[in-house]
Amino acid sequence: PEQYNLSKLHHEYLAIIFSKDWVITVQEGLEGDVFDGIRLRIREGKKIRKEDGTYLGYYLIDEVVNAYFSVCEQLGEQLEDIQEEIVYN
């Protein structure tokens, strides 16, 4: 999983609305996000560009969820380290 710099995490507003024929995303104008890989696949004409809007909508949501899992995993590891330090020192 991708590693994030936990000291530089921020929150941003994100809305994803989609149907079979279209996808609308609205997000704050912060530089860099989890959608960079999807944008690249679209530009390269990969499968994601050839499918309908529900496929892209699912793909967008999946990328957001995967990013949350990665961050939660890192936070869990940090908490375990803190717990070990408290218990054993």
Side-chain angles (χ1 to χ4, degrees):
E2 184 174 345
Q3 294 289 308
Y4 293 93
N5 184 342
L6 296 180
S7 66
K8 294 187 177 193
L9 286 180
H10 62 272
H11 68 277
E12 71 178 288
Y13 174 81
L14 170 66
I16 302 172
I17 307 162
F18 60 92
S19 80
K20 184 176 183 248
D21 298 320
W22 49 265
V23 177
I24 298 172
T25 60
V26 179
Q27 68 185 114
E28 293 175 312
L30 301 173
E31 208 172 306
D33 59 29
V34 297
F35 300 136
D36 289 339
I38 293 175
R39 287 186 196 98
L40 180 62
R41 285 185 218 119
I42 290 171
R43 286 185 198 110
E44 291 175 346
K46 302 285 184 182
K47 177 182 178 183
I48 195 168
R49 187 173 183 106
K50 297 171 181 129
E51 296 292 330
D52 67 14
T54 56
Y55 184 85
L56 177 57
Y58 167 81
Y59 218 88
L60 292 167
I61 293 169
D62 189 54
E63 288 295 314
V64 171
V65 171
N66 287 341
Y68 273 108
F69 277 127
S70 181
V71 169
C72 288
E73 185 176 306
Q74 286 178 258
L75 288 172
E77 289 170 4
Q78 284 187 356
L79 287 173
E80 286 177 13
D81 292 344
I82 292 169
Q83 181 181 7
E84 285 180 17
E85 193 170 318
I86 290 170
V87 170
Y88 297 114
N89 291 324

